[in-house]
Every structure is written in structure tokens, then in C-alpha cells.
């Protein structure tokens, strides 16, 4: 089973569905989940320095023996490493832990006071060929508009919380206009809601012999988003990838659109509460 790819603004292709490894802290469980995902067909893996599992991912991928060029690896610079020199240091630490000499995508994890210096460092890493694509995570329209004053290369991706209860329609329209691709984290609302018990999703799933989670992930795919569901459960890892033997109709998409309650469950990018 293979996943479709999305072509970024610079021509780099990213698999549309990947495995997010946020909150995977048990080393054995994490390694097993990665190995199982590889067998299922995943080639896109999304981690971050703050997750504390880059080294586990690096070891699991090495042990699997899959050619590096067949993998797509994303990591992110955390808040305490933002700044020009510290970003480059953080990037090199990520490379070492991941046992690779380049990343496919490197993101600023959250907007912060040193964003200009951080982005300058990331642009240089990109120009040097150490990372194939660059982007941001949890950036608002205001943040992205402000980047135009200092960025020589605009982000190719913005990774943000997105799910049917919070579809980010205004931001999506902006990203499309600016040729920045939308990547969804928390695509199933992080298990913090009753989303997957919603009768509308159950009804749609019944038509296709799919779970509510598969319906939601297919909704992301049909919107053209990149999506990184997280799971260590083998059945769910498989189900989260089994999305390409059905497609939602226009009526399905309209029904899911009615679930929007404009409610986020993560931090607000405009008011993160972080102490920088």
C-alpha cells in the first residue's frame, strides 16, 4: 500500500499520510510502532526535538534497512533552542540522533521572540542542502504575514491543529493563496473529544465499511492536507493508512463541515502561554 504525495512549492514531494510520534515515550513501544508502520507502508515520519524520541526513530529506521531516499523525515526546533546559533546546534543534534546527514523537512515548532534569527538559520541550512524543505508549525496568519518582512524563502508547510471540530477554514484559504501547504496535527482531535463517536461519521463510515477515524482522515486527504495521525496500536496504525480505497462524496464533505464548532484543544498560537 502506498500513499499519494503532495508537491511542495519547491518541487519536493511529501507523502500525504505519515506517522506522528508525538507522546511516544516508551522506547520499546515506539520502536515497535515504527517498525510496524514501515511494514504497513508508511515512509513519512514526523518527530521533534522536544518529543525525546528522535534517537529511537533513527535506530528503528536503521534497523529496518530501508534506503534513506525512500524515507521522509521531519523534525522541529523547540522553543529553548530558537535563535541563530542555537537553531543550527539543535538541527545538528537532530541529525545525529536520527542517524542521517539531512532532513526532508525542518520546522519552527512555535512562533517566538527569536523567530527572525531562527528562520535565518533554517534558510541557511536549506541553502546548504542540509534540509530539503522548510516550514513552520503553529503559525497564525499574522505570524506568516510578518515573515514577509524578513524571510527570503517563505515556509513550504504550516503544521497546525486541524480536525472537523476545528477545520481552520480561514487559515486554509490563506495558506492556499500563499502556496503554503497545510499539514494537520491532532487530526482526530487528540482523543480529547467525542468526535469519533459522532453519528454523522458513523453513518458515513457504514457506507464504505470504514471506521469514523478513517472517515475523518479521508476528509483531511480529500481537502488536500498532509496528515500525521499518531498511534502505537497495530490495528489503528494499519487503519490510519488504509484510506485510499474510498473517497468521500461532496455530500459527505458537506455533512462533515457541519461538525465545525470552532474549538481548538491545543495551545492558541497567538497566546501560547510559553515562558520564553
Amino acid at each position: 500500500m502506498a500513499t499519494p504525495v503532495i508537491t511542495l512549492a519547491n518541487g519536493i514531494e511529501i507523502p500525504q499520510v505519515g506517522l506522528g510520534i508525538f507522546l511516544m515515550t516508551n522506547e520499546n513501544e515506539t520502536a515497535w510502532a515504527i517498525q510496524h508502520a514501515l511494514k504497513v507502508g508508511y515512509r513519512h515520519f514526523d518527530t521533534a526535538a522536544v518529543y525525546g524520541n528522535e534517537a529511537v526513530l533513527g535506530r528503528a529506521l536503521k534497523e529496518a534497512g530501508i534506503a534513506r531516499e525512500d524515507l521522509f523525515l521531519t523534525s522541529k526546533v523547540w522553543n529553548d533552542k530558537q535563535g541563530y546559533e542555537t537553531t543550527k546546534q539543535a538541527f545538528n543534534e537532530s541529525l545525529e540522533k536520527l542517524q542521517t546527514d539531512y532532513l526532508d523537512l525542518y520546522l519552527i515548532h512555535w512562533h517566538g521572540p527569536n523567530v527572525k534569527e531562527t528562520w535565518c538559520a533554517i534558510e541557511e541550512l536549506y541553502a546548504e542542502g542540509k534540509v530539503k524543505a522548510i516550514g513552520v508549525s503553529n503559525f497564525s496568519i499574522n505570524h506568516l504575514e510578518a515573515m514577509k518582512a524578513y524571510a527570503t524563502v517563505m515556509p513550504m508547510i504550516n503544521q497546525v491543529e486541524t480536525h472537523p471540530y476545528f477545520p481552520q477554514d480561514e487559515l486554509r484559504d490563506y495558506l492556499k493563496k500563499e502556496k503554503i501547504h497545510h499539514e494537520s496535527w491532532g487530526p482526530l482531535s487528540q482523543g480529547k473529544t467525542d468526535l469519533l463517536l459522532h453519528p454523522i461519521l458513523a453513518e458515513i463510515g457504514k457506507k464504505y465499511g470504514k471506521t469514523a477515524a478513517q472517515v475523518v482522515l479521508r476528509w483531511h486527504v480529500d481537502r488536500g492536507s498532509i496528515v500525521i495521525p499518531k498511534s502505537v496500536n497495530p490495528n489503528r496504525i494499519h487503519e490510519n493508512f488504509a484510506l485510499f480505497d474510498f473517497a468521500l462524496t461532496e455530500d459527505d464533505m458537506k455533512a462533515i463541515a457541519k461538525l465545525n464548532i470552532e474549538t481548538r484543544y491545543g495551545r492558541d498560537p497567538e497566546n501560547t502561554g510559553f515562558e520564553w
Side-chain angles (χ1 to χ4, degrees):
M1 189 183 298
T3 175
V5 297
I6 296 289
T7 302
L8 303 180
N10 66 343
I12 293 296
E13 293 182 339
I14 178 172
Q16 193 171 7
V17 177
L19 182 71
I21 58 174
F22 174 58
L23 293 182
M24 292 191 190
T25 55
N26 180 291
E27 289 195 12
N28 291 335
E29 185 179 61
T30 302
W32 187 92
I34 293 162
Q35 290 160 1
H36 184 71
L38 288 166
K39 291 176 183 176
V40 168
Y42 290 79
R43 294 296 182 267
H44 171 189
F45 295 88
D46 180 278
T47 186
V50 75
Y51 299 169
N53 52 28
E54 290 173 310
V56 179
L57 176 58
R59 286 196 299 272
L61 295 177
K62 279 288 184 183
E63 290 170 5
I66 294 174
R68 176 64 184 88
E69 60 268 23
D70 293 332
L71 297 167
F72 193 101
L73 302 184
T74 300
S75 194
K76 313 173 191 75
V77 58
W78 186 241
N79 306 342
D80 62 355
K81 293 292 186 180
Q82 288 196 35
Y84 180 78
E85 294 294 345
T86 46
T87 293
K88 290 195 170 185
Q89 176 190 347
F91 179 83
N92 288 328
E93 289 171 357
S94 290
L95 289 187
E96 183 176 354
K97 290 175 181 176
L98 288 164
Q99 300 186 47
T100 185
D101 57 4
Y102 71 94
L103 286 181
D104 297 280
L105 178 64
Y106 198 51
L107 307 177
I108 298 178
H109 210 143
W110 288 90
H111 187 276
N114 294 324
V115 64
K116 294 181 184 179
E117 295 84 356
T118 302
W119 190 248
C120 178
I122 289 176
E123 285 186 335
E124 289 185 12
L125 292 167
Y126 175 63
E128 293 164 3
K130 295 180 179 178
V131 56
K132 291 189 174 184
I134 55 178
V136 295
S137 180
N138 303 303
F139 273 43
S140 68
I141 293 173
N142 289 336
H143 295 151
L144 292 165
E145 277 293 295
M147 286 188 78
K148 293 178 179 179
Y150 59 83
T152 59
V153 179
M154 285 297 286
M156 294 145 199
I157 276 179
N158 186 19
Q159 186 186 111
V160 291
E161 177 184 357
T162 315
H163 43 77
Y165 282 166
F166 190 62
Q168 296 268 28
D169 291 331
E170 181 183 7
L171 177 59
R172 279 178 55 77
D173 289 343
Y174 173 87
L175 295 177
K176 185 175 181 179
K177 177 173 67 76
E178 298 294 329
K179 297 181 171 57
I180 301 170
H181 279 278
H182 180 182
E183 186 169 23
S184 304
W185 68 255
L188 302 172
S189 74
Q190 297 182 287
K192 294 180 177 179
T193 73
D194 63 353
L195 175 65
L196 300 185
L197 300 176
H198 202 289
I200 286 178
L201 299 175
E203 182 181 350
I204 294 171
K206 188 175 180 180
K207 289 195 299 181
Y208 305 109
K210 296 293 183 179
T211 66
Q214 288 173 310
V215 169
V216 171
L217 294 175
R218 184 69 213 197
W219 171 80
H220 286 282
V221 168
D222 285 348
R223 294 175 96 212
S225 300
I226 302 153
V227 60
I228 45 170
K230 169 255 175 184
S231 182
V232 295
N233 180 292
N235 291 330
R236 290 189 188 129
I237 288 172
H238 182 273
E239 286 180 357
N240 290 347
F241 204 70
L243 307 175
F244 309 110
D245 56 353
F246 79 111
L248 300 177
T249 66
E250 185 177 346
D251 285 343
D252 294 334
M253 296 295 283
K254 287 179 179 177
I256 296 171
K258 293 177 182 176
L259 303 186
N260 179 16
I261 54 174
E262 286 298 318
T263 301
R264 70 169 77 242
Y265 300 97
R267 295 176 186 266
D268 182 346
E270 293 281 4
N271 184 24
T272 63
F274 290 128
E275 292 184 9
W276 295 88

